[in-house]
Amino acid sequence: MDLRVGGSAPAPRSGDYRGPDDPTGRPARRPYGGPPPSARSRSDVSPGADVVDAAVVVAWGGAAVRALAAAREPLDRVNVFPVADSDTGTNMYLTLLDAVRALPAGRAPGSGAGDLLVRLARGALVGARGNSGVILSEYLRGLALELAERPVVPGDALAAGLDRAARTARGAVARPAPGTILTAADAAARAALTAARTAPGATPATVAAAARDGARAAALRSTGELDVLARAQVLDAGALGLVLVLGALVEAVGRAEDGHDPAGAGVSDVLGMMSGMVPVPGSSAGTGAGTEGVHEGGEFEVMYVVDGPAAPSRAPGASGAAAPATGDDALAEHLRADLARIGDSVVVVGGPGQGGSGLWQAHVHTDHPMAAVAAGRAFAADVGGPPGSASRPAGGGGLRQVRVRHLPGPGDRGAVVDARPHDHAGAGQDDGPGLVAVTTAPALVADLARAGAVVLLRDAVGPVDRAALHRVAVDARAAHVALLAGTDLPADDVEALRGTLRGDGVTTLDVLPAPTDLHVAVALAAAQLVEPEPRRRVDAARFALAGVRTAQARTTGLPAAEAATVLGGLLARLLTRRAELVTVLADDDVPDAALDDLPGHAARAGAELVLLRSGRAGGAVALAAEGPDEGRDAAEEVVA
């Protein structure tokens, strides 16, 4: 079976919920924070099913999404490991939502349970969010690898699948820690195997219930197994999320008697387990002596997708990685080892598929985001993609959906858990606008993320990937998103993007006038100067863009002295109107000597000059002047 998007199953639009609610295949829209429509009515579920068939898989996906939607906010609030960024519930929900969207619309004749588990795993892999979401995606992938060839799954095979799911998920994590979702998965697998062995002919309902109970017991023990949980006096959010996912499996294969709703009971049970928990604000994500884990540090979260041919183009370890593991994890182990050297919370999931294809998703917390991207590029080269690409070129491998966000520091988070039932529409969203920045300049990524934007790094060549834009806009976790695209987006693309985002609760997409990387940098630099209130930051960015004057030059092939003359003349033209600040963005091949005189020119005109490097090869230089004489952007270009 091919676990790669682009294999046998068509990839749905990321803004559509595609499930069997609507036999016509029309997407069913729902609020960002609310649960999607039921993927399958209770009357359709075979009570006490002897096997897991395609219908049960669909029912499981829908029930799991509903359970995570109902509990996502409380799960977010108890999230302190690997970092207290209050997003575990949301990440697991969004990951599973994308997994369910990968299922076929309607009833897909001829599809068996294994076929749909493969689609579910593929959707989760591409849509994975955060540490917990990536682990969940690999858990589903392990289940699919074990059961892919089975049209129906009896109880003993389900137990074997849950065991492989746990082993596969654990193998994807560079430094596993106890008391986490991995521990709960291991406990679930042991309980499932025991149930299958002690009761020959055990039904999937018996096996699933044992797995859920095993995970639940492990979640209850988590506080005593991980120091950071003990200090905060909370249970592990990822482990609790897995309890909900396995509880949904129980619902899908079990029987609802006397109007009893097992899914609702499962959510109520997990909320009850969290009742009264008060996370310590800014809890360190470190683990103390005697645990398997280490401090999960890192200022940034970096995620990306690698896809390309499965066979390495160089000998194993050629990129400096440790010796690979055996089996389908061998290739991922290279990237996992490289990322572990530069960061923590390292998870690499995915693997080779059929027809020479492969798909991987990587996650790391690091102080060096571009080192993490460089590791991904080296890995893409190892699996057949051209080095130096930030997105997948036609017919080859490479990186795509490169996303970077700044992680909260100590004291940024911490809240009392409200375990009472309430309306979750809009859960996980901030009150003010979210910021999204798109750039082709690698050296800007860290500062753009520090300014509060979710950053998408893309290739300088070609249009922006609309699916990637959709993803980072949803990841801004706000009903109102301000987009700094770094290019001119076609109006039709903007309207199409707005349409799909409305289905994910982004009711307003505000595309700010930022057609270049320099505009993006100017806007977010202005946003950083105001109080950290989202609406004021967006207003500051908009105001800065309204008054900026820009110019561009290409210096490739010019001697340094001649390039300096061109740039000095360009700056003089910008400063014919008063300016207080000049920002210069220069490609890495522009010599320092061509730039050295610019600060003096600016100072003589009463302006301060800030010089930025783009972090990419080339000879382009862009200049921006800001000052009291706001007006329309006076862009000009000098081609030398």
Side-chain angles (χ1 to χ4, degrees):
M1 283 290 174
D2 187 358
L3 295 185
R4 179 180 183 273
V5 168
S8 60
R13 294 182 301 166
S14 59
D16 293 348
Y17 175 88
R18 296 185 65 182
D21 300 306
D22 185 347
T24 67
R26 291 190 299 269
R29 301 293 185 181
R30 78 268 175 262
Y32 174 88
S38 169
R40 188 166 180 246
S41 68
R42 290 295 312 167
S43 61
D44 287 339
V45 179
S46 302
D50 293 329
V51 294
V52 172
D53 57 14
V56 171
V57 173
V58 172
W60 176 33
V65 169
R66 293 194 301 277
L68 287 170
R72 60 186 283 189
E73 196 172 51
L75 289 175
D76 284 347
R77 289 174 176 169
V78 298
N79 167 210
V80 296
F81 182 84
V83 63
D85 52 356
S86 301
D87 64 359
T88 289
T90 294
N91 286 337
M92 294 184 76
Y93 165 74
L94 291 174
T95 299
L96 201 52
L97 182 61
D98 272 357
V100 171
R101 284 172 172 166
L103 295 177
R107 290 201 182 267
S111 294
D115 298 319
L116 295 193
L117 286 171
V118 167
R119 292 173 185 244
L120 199 71
R122 183 187 297 114
L125 177 59
V126 175
R129 261 83 165 190
N131 186 73
S132 55
V134 174
I135 292 173
L136 177 60
S137 76
E138 189 72 348
Y139 185 83
L140 294 173
R141 179 174 172 269
L143 185 67
L145 286 169
E146 182 68 26
L147 304 176
E149 303 299 331
R150 288 182 175 269
V152 294
V153 180
D156 58 346
L158 178 60
L162 293 172
D163 178 59
R164 185 163 182 181
R167 289 185 285 109
T168 303
R170 179 170 286 274
V173 179
R175 300 187 184 101
T180 64
I181 185 174
L182 299 175
T183 312
D186 291 340
R190 287 193 300 271
L193 289 172
T194 299
R197 290 167 182 163
T198 57
T203 66
T206 299
V207 170
R212 176 205 58 199
D213 292 346
R216 184 183 187 278
L220 287 171
R221 294 192 299 267
S222 62
T223 303
E225 295 181 346
L226 191 59
D227 287 1
V228 64
L229 300 177
R231 290 195 297 271
Q233 283 299 292
V234 296
L235 303 177
D236 182 69
L240 292 168
L242 184 63
V243 174
L244 290 170
V245 171
L246 292 174
L249 179 59
V250 174
E251 175 193 357
V253 299
R255 181 193 302 268
E257 298 178 353
D258 301 327
H260 178 61
D261 179 5
V267 172
S268 297
D269 179 50
V270 168
L271 293 180
M273 293 165 67
M274 292 187 283
S275 179
M277 294 180 183
V278 183
V280 177
S283 295
S284 167
T287 58
T291 69
E292 296 175 52
V294 296
H295 178 74
E296 298 290 339
E299 188 181 358
F300 304 94
E301 178 185 65
V302 181
M303 294 187 69
Y304 46 75
V305 173
V306 184
D307 56 353
S313 60
R314 300 203 293 267
S319 64
T326 58
D328 59 34
D329 187 56
L331 294 173
E333 187 59 32
H334 287 298
L335 181 55
R336 197 174 294 124
D338 284 343
L339 292 177
R341 282 191 282 271
I342 60 172
D344 292 301
S345 191
V346 174
V347 188
V348 179
V349 301
Q354 290 180 338
S357 65
L359 179 67
W360 295 263
Q361 174 99 246
H363 171 279
V364 62
H365 291 171
T366 179
D367 290 330
H368 311 287
M370 292 319 301
V373 173
R377 287 174 173 158
F379 176 71
D382 278 343
V383 298
S389 172
S391 66
R392 179 181 55 180
L399 301 193
R400 57 188 173 96
Q401 294 192 7
V402 181
R403 295 97 59 203
V404 179
R405 71 181 181 98
H406 191 253
L407 295 171
D412 287 352
R413 299 278 180 166
V416 177
V417 175
D418 178 6
R420 297 169 299 172
H422 55 282
D423 181 7
H424 290 272
Q429 295 180 340
D430 292 328
D431 292 336
L435 278 169
V436 170
V438 184
T439 185
T440 64
L444 296 182
V445 166
D447 284 337
L448 297 180
R450 288 191 186 102
V454 180
V455 181
L456 174 66
L457 176 65
R458 72 174 188 93
D459 268 342
V461 179
V464 182
D465 178 1
R466 204 169 76 202
L469 278 180
H470 181 281
R471 173 165 182 152
V472 291
V474 172
D475 289 350
R477 311 280 165 82
H480 178 184
V481 172
L483 170 62
L484 297 160
T487 188
D488 289 314
L489 294 176
D492 289 347
D493 284 359
V494 172
E495 287 310 306
L497 182 61
R498 284 177 173 143
T500 58
L501 285 173
R502 279 192 290 270
D504 277 336
V506 179
T507 56
T508 302
L509 177 66
D510 194 359
V511 181
L512 302 185
T516 70
D517 289 313
L518 184 56
H519 285 87
V520 173
V522 165
L524 285 178
Q528 271 192 304
L529 297 177
V530 301
E531 296 179 8
E533 196 279 319
R535 201 170 305 278
R536 293 194 61 187
R537 287 165 51 229
V538 172
D539 289 342
R542 193 190 311 276
F543 185 79
L545 291 171
V548 69
R549 308 187 301 275
T550 65
Q552 300 179 55
R554 298 192 183 116
T555 65
T556 304
L558 293 180
E562 185 176 345
T565 300
V566 169
L567 295 175
L570 200 60
L571 179 58
R573 290 161 65 179
L574 278 181
L575 295 178
T576 55
R577 293 166 56 190
R578 185 184 169 199
E580 295 175 344
L581 177 65
V582 174
T583 305
V584 178
L585 178 63
D587 283 347
D588 289 0
D589 293 338
V590 179
D592 290 341
L595 304 167
D596 286 344
D597 292 339
L598 295 181
H601 290 321
R604 285 189 289 275
E608 177 186 359
L609 187 139
V610 175
L611 174 62
L612 305 172
R613 288 288 186 173
S614 70
R616 66 186 171 223
V621 180
L623 302 90
E626 304 169 69
D629 299 322
E630 289 81 11
R632 292 169 54 186
D633 183 13
E636 56 181 299
E637 182 177 19
V638 174
V639 180

